[in-house]
Amino acid sequence: MVFAGACSSDPNTPNKNTDLIDAKVDSLMSLMTLEEKIGQMNQYSGFMDFTGPRPKEGQQAKKLEHLKKGWVGSMLNVHGVENVMAVQKIAVEESRLGIPLIMGFDVIHGYKTISPIPLAETASWNLEAIQKSAEMAAEEASAAGIHWTFAPMVDISRDARWGRVMEGAGEDPYLGSLVAKARVKGFQGDDLSAPNTLAATAKHFAGYGFAESGKDYNTVDIGTSTLHNMVNPPFKAAVEADVKTFMNAFNVLNGIPATGNKYLQRDLLKNQWDFKGFVVSDWDSVGEMIAHGFAKDGRAAAKYAVSAGSDMDMESYHYIEQLASLVEDGEVSEDLINDAVKRILKVKFELGLFDNPYQYCDEKREKEVIGQQKFHDQVFDLAKQSIVLLKNENNLLPLKKSGQKIALIGELAADKTSPLGNWIIAAEDNSAVSVLEGLEKYDATNEITFENGVKLVTSQPTFAQELKINNTDSAGIAEAVASAKNADVVVMVLGEHGRQSGEGRSRTSLDLPGLQQQMLEAVYEVNPNIVLVLNNGRPLTINWADKHIPAIVEAWQLGSQAGNAIASVLYGDYNPSGKLPMSFPKNVGQIPLYYNYKSTGRPAPKGENEVFWSTYIDSSNDPLYPFGYGLSYTNFDYKNLTIDNRYKEEGKVLVSVEVQNTGKREGIETAQLYLQDEYASVTRPVRELKGFKQVELAPGEIKTIEFELTNAELGFYDNDGEWLVESGSFHIYLGGDSTSQLKQSFQITVK
Ligand code: BGC
């Protein structure tokens, strides 16, 4: 039977009307049995390899049976109109109340048309473009029947060993918060019930990016100051942007698994931040509380998770198997179930699923929308902006457009899958434009020869396991060297395969995998005129290259249009403007490495041979490339930093600076404002990003950029999580990266 009110579509009752939706939810809930309510809290993964609509045996049969009973509220990994329709039909037409499923999917950086990996997108520092990228992903994914994306990942991380840094916005909570908002807005749009928007998920709440030793899923033990000031701000920003769902995390946070963490999910998120959406667990994270040594069995796990505020269980089965009897035995109050179900149903109403459970299922739209040229143009645009120029000695770049023999070297240069990066579960392998194709298609008359060089991975990778084995076969180096010998310029595309970063891809070394370093050095011996194009999902340790190679371009994994974007930067059609969202360490021993560190009692080494200072005896403290760093084919100069302190009268401090393009061509610069609160009741970092602005400048042009600092920028969270603004002196640093020395100071008195 189909729930009577479920499919009424009255144009006078817009879904945005919260009271009305609440009333509809209440009325629906009054019809539901306890089992049906718990069913809404149950999420199953789809039938990944099914070719027809119906699952067949074993677990699949059980899932099907539960669908028919109305014991499933959501499915993930079902995509494509035909598949979504088939599953939705079972829920709507065969279950007693016909409550539609909400279909979730990891749309992380595009659905079929793939944007740069999120870390790379962040390097553009272009919030509008990042928002548009999420908008595009929503448009494509929703056309494939998806309602809900498990993105954005807003985990701050200071540890490049952690493979999932590719999915986030890097190390900084201020930038991370703005990117979180942009992505949430992009996915959700202004109207969640429109069929081209998706509900978004802020994940993984919380602390997942602080996994000890950068090892995925590892324990997280951080103090309250770090939790409130570094980890939580992007999550709070997502709530402010009206994100509809949260995902909790696999990790233990300070001894309590995030999934069973009442402080995080109930006290902070739902009460203090007033989050009205629902929390989904991570994949079996409810069940994993047993392995954590927190819950003794599935029953305890279900009880802890629901009590802590995890509303929906992804694939652990413990809710569906345990919650009813927990309620019947009086161990879990039905109020908790009701609260969770209300939250889930509310989002379904907001998505318009009760008006039309198939409104996302239009095969014609699916065909028309997915893979449109305009999406490729947009991805191309953002990919160019995501590239960071790390080094360019003697203006080796841009390349001349004619008369050059170019030796293109490196397996990654011809790879059409790797540029897509990780989390591309709906995109096709071999669908990206490779660097080789990009250069060949480019309107230039150079002679290009390509050599594969050493193999990076043993075979076209389909499984993570293969990627853990870096090939040690040096065959290919000789050919690379021979080809470099005859070239005017060598372009080497080296780094990590797209599937060498991402979930479960932690590394203990951040060097170029396999024998790539050896090949680089061998080529350098015969021709030092090298442009190194890096493809990677995280910061790498490239000291040797930094010392020897004249030009280095950080090109990440840039998605479907990677090769075109790289060609456009190498030839100088696009003047690189990206800035690093994560510090690049000199060596793994420096990790965790981040620009917004705190001073110690012995802050700086006073001289070469001094010992008792907070430093290393075998490395300097500073990164190879700092946060916020990135060069251009032109130069920028900052001057006349002035402060207009109106704090006493108007509660704000105005800052202005002049930026001049001192080079010979137009360019885009991201001016960054860093603040230091000199003395505070809880110590503050040596500097913190508190503002940035992008300006486009013609050669010689000067623009004045203004910033406004209010209590929102001047304060910090104390150890109880309260926002504090304290009297005292502050320093401002302004410039093109986090090491800028252009400084001014001011004082405020807080009454
Ligand atoms: C990841 C999540 C993801 C989920 C569903 C988990 O392994 O941690 O980020 O959304 O799988 O695919």
Side-chain angles (χ1 to χ4, degrees):
M1 184 188 97
V2 176
F3 165 58
C7 286
S8 71
S9 113
D10 176 354
N12 300 317
T13 56
N15 285 312
K16 274 186 269 178
N17 185 328
T18 312
D19 291 346
L20 199 63
I21 287 182
D22 286 348
K24 285 180 177 179
V25 169
D26 287 344
S27 130
L28 175 53
M29 281 184 62
S30 70
L31 303 176
M32 294 169 80
T33 63
L34 178 62
E35 283 75 14
E36 283 165 341
K37 288 180 188 169
I38 292 166
Q40 288 303 304
M41 300 165 71
N42 184 33
Q43 183 188 53
Y44 285 145
S45 180
F47 322 108
M48 295 280 275
D49 46 6
F50 79 106
T51 44
R54 300 224 169 192
K56 288 179 192 99
E57 55 201 357
Q59 204 128 67
Q60 309 298 54
K62 184 156 135 196
K63 287 180 182 176
L64 176 60
E65 181 199 321
H66 286 183
L67 267 176
K68 289 183 181 172
K69 282 181 161 166
W71 284 10
V72 185
S74 171
M75 301 217 53
L76 73 149
N77 293 333
V78 180
H79 62 111
V81 166
E82 194 190 343
N83 296 332
V84 170
M85 275 286 269
V87 178
Q88 188 70 297
K89 239 172 151 41
I90 303 172
V92 171
E93 291 181 12
E94 297 187 44
S95 76
R96 191 179 76 93
L97 293 173
I99 300 175
L101 298 162
I102 174 171
M103 301 290 187
F105 199 72
D106 289 282
V107 185
I108 307 295
H109 53 118
Y111 177 74
K112 273 262 158 50
T113 314
I114 300 296
S115 293
I117 55 169
L119 186 68
E121 282 193 356
T122 307
S124 75
W125 293 56
N126 183 341
L127 298 171
E128 215 178 290
I130 292 171
Q131 182 171 329
K132 270 180 72 185
S133 159
E135 239 168 68
M136 174 200 90
E139 204 170 334
E140 273 199 351
S142 60
I146 315 280
H147 312 136
W148 172 28
T149 175
F150 305 126
M153 185 189 98
V154 304
D155 298 308
I156 296 299
S157 181
R158 301 162 162 180
D159 195 331
R161 293 170 299 183
W162 189 52
R164 297 193 82 165
V165 298
M166 54 81 49
E167 279 177 67
E171 75 188 37
D172 182 64
Y174 178 84
L175 179 60
S177 298
L178 293 174
V179 170
K181 279 190 175 170
R183 291 199 168 124
V184 169
K185 281 190 204 150
F187 287 129
Q188 296 190 167
D190 297 328
D191 178 5
L192 202 62
S193 71
N196 60 354
T197 56
L198 300 175
T201 309
K203 72 186 188 184
H204 306 83
F205 199 49
Y208 187 39
F210 280 70
E212 269 179 11
S213 57
K215 194 166 59 176
D216 211 356
Y217 319 120
N218 208 5
T219 302
V220 176
D221 218 308
I222 51 173
T224 46
S225 182
T226 302
L227 179 67
H228 296 309
N229 290 288
M230 297 293 156
V231 171
N232 282 345
F235 287 103
K236 188 158 185 282
V239 174
E240 284 160 13
D242 199 25
V243 70
K244 293 298 164 188
T245 77
F246 260 54
M247 185 184 289
N248 57 35
F250 289 125
N251 57 282
V252 160
L253 176 71
N254 301 338
I256 317 278
T259 305
N261 199 311
K262 177 174 169 294
Y263 166 71
L264 283 176
Q265 298 171 103
R266 255 187 222 292
D267 302 349
L268 197 59
L269 176 63
K270 292 180 178 172
N271 292 338
Q272 227 171 293
W273 296 351
D274 202 23
F275 171 66
K276 300 283 189 228
F278 70 87
V279 180
V280 63
S281 81
D282 203 343
W283 185 288
D284 189 31
S285 68
V286 174
E288 288 183 10
M289 290 199 289
I290 302 169
H292 279 306
F294 187 73
K296 76 174 191 316
D297 52 23
R299 186 173 167 85
K303 177 177 169 176
Y304 294 157
V306 79
S307 305
S310 297
D311 301 308
M312 185 183 276
D313 172 16
M314 183 191 285
E315 269 288 328
S316 93
Y317 297 80
H318 296 308
Y319 277 16
I320 200 69
E321 284 168 7
Q322 305 293 345
L323 280 185
S325 81
L326 280 165
V327 171
E328 275 147 21
D329 297 347
E331 285 195 50
V332 165
S333 149
E334 195 166 348
D335 291 349
L336 293 184
I337 309 290
N338 287 338
D339 177 58
V341 177
K342 266 188 193 167
R343 290 169 179 273
I344 294 164
L345 291 176
K346 189 167 168 253
V347 174
K348 291 188 178 185
F349 272 106
E350 287 174 339
L351 279 162
L353 289 173
F354 285 95
D355 291 327
N356 178 3
Y358 308 112
Q359 70 161 335
Y360 295 78
C361 290
D362 175 344
E363 275 178 344
K364 188 165 164 274
R365 183 165 79 101
E366 183 177 38
K367 281 202 191 83
E368 282 166 8
V369 165
I370 296 177
Q372 282 177 85
Q373 186 55 41
K374 70 167 187 190
F375 295 150
H376 282 274
D377 296 346
Q378 191 184 314
V379 161
F380 175 47
D381 219 43
L382 184 49
K384 287 186 282 190
Q385 297 179 53
S386 304
I387 292 173
V388 185
L389 181 64
L390 297 177
K391 191 177 171 194
N392 192 20
E393 224 168 59
N394 303 326
N395 295 328
L396 179 57
L397 288 173
L399 298 173
K400 296 194 188 83
K401 293 190 181 168
S402 63
Q404 299 283 292
K405 278 192 193 157
I406 297 179
L408 179 65
I409 296 173
E411 189 181 46
L412 290 174
D415 200 307
K416 291 170 63 59
T417 299
S418 173
L420 300 172
N422 210 327
W423 283 121
I424 46 156
I425 41 186
E428 272 136 39
D429 280 357
N430 277 311
S431 63
V433 178
S434 70
V435 179
L436 175 60
E437 289 171 330
L439 288 177
E440 275 177 343
K441 270 193 307 190
Y442 190 85
D443 187 18
T445 55
N446 292 322
E447 187 189 314
I448 299 174
T449 53
F450 169 67
E451 271 306 332
N452 203 79
V454 291
K455 277 199 88 54
L456 176 59
V457 287
T458 44
S459 61
Q460 186 60 26
T462 39
F463 299 106
Q465 288 312 326
E466 290 181 274
L467 296 168
K468 289 185 176 158
I469 310 159
N470 290 313
N471 210 323
T472 50
D473 181 355
S474 61
I477 294 189
E479 286 84 348
V481 167
S483 141
K485 254 187 201 156
N486 299 320
D488 298 308
V489 54
V490 184
V491 176
M492 294 187 76
V493 183
L494 306 179
E496 299 176 310
H497 189 278
R499 289 181 192 160
Q500 277 176 314
S501 57
E503 187 175 348
R505 272 79 161 180
S506 295
R507 294 182 64 197
T508 58
S509 158
L510 295 177
D511 294 343
L512 294 169
L515 295 185
Q516 294 179 98
Q517 179 67 31
Q518 197 173 314
M519 177 166 74
L520 178 63
E521 292 183 25
V523 168
Y524 178 79
E525 282 296 308
V526 299
N527 189 345
N529 218 23
I530 298 174
V531 176
L532 171 60
V533 177
L534 291 172
N535 281 190
N536 42 314
R538 62 179 122 211
L540 297 177
T541 46
I542 51 159
N543 298 293
W544 187 91
D546 177 64
K547 211 176 269 164
H548 297 90
I549 303 301
I552 307 178
V553 175
E554 175 51 79
W556 316 102
Q557 285 126 10
L558 293 173
S560 303
Q561 289 291 322
N564 288 334
I566 292 168
S568 158
V569 162
L570 293 185
Y571 276 117
D573 285 354
Y574 186 81
N575 184 359
S577 56
K579 302 274 191 179
L580 295 178
M582 264 189 106
S583 309
F584 271 45
K586 288 186 169 143
N587 52 66
V588 168
Q590 290 181 314
I591 292 176
L593 179 76
Y594 46 99
Y595 83 94
N596 47 2
Y597 61 89
K598 295 201 174 173
S599 175
T600 66
R602 298 184 176 193
K606 297 288 176 189
E608 289 265 304
N609 297 318
E610 297 203 36
V611 176
F612 301 107
W613 297 94
S614 182
T615 183
Y616 301 100
I617 58 169
D618 61 352
S619 168
S620 69
N621 284 359
D622 45 301
L624 184 63
Y625 304 116
F627 174 83
Y629 170 82
L631 303 173
S632 159
Y633 294 149
T634 186
N635 296 305
F636 300 101
D637 192 26
Y638 288 77
K639 50 183 186 265
N640 294 332
L641 173 60
T642 55
I643 290 180
D644 177 5
N645 188 348
R646 302 188 193 168
Y647 191 79
K648 200 167 148 208
E649 307 78 29
E650 298 173 35
K652 61 187 179 193
V653 176
L654 304 180
V655 179
S656 76
V657 72
E658 283 175 15
V659 189
Q660 179 171 22
N661 180 344
T662 56
K664 292 197 178 69
R665 60 168 292 176
E666 77 299 337
I668 295 171
E669 169 69 335
T670 303
Q672 301 157 42
L673 180 151
Y674 295 88
L675 183 81
Q676 182 188 16
D677 181 349
E678 201 176 12
Y679 299 101
S681 56
V682 182
T683 61
R684 307 303 310 133
V686 293
R687 56 175 70 186
E688 295 175 278
L689 183 72
K690 290 294 176 183
F692 62 89
K693 285 204 173 143
Q694 280 189 330
V695 272
E696 200 167 347
L697 293 168
E701 194 183 1
I702 302 179
K703 274 187 186 157
T704 302
I705 304 178
E706 288 167 355
F707 297 92
E708 187 175 296
L709 301 174
T710 63
N711 280 350
E713 287 80 30
L714 296 168
F716 60 89
Y717 289 100
D718 69 11
N719 287 345
D720 299 321
E722 296 299 323
W723 187 252
L724 272 190
V725 184
E726 293 182 339
S727 300
S729 59
F730 292 77
H731 304 304
I732 300 273
Y733 298 90
L734 238 149
D737 67 49
S738 59
T739 63
S740 156
Q741 292 304 315
L742 185 63
K743 180 179 174 187
Q744 285 288 353
S745 305
F746 65 90
Q747 303 245 339
I748 60 166
T749 305
V750 182
K751 291 194 192 104

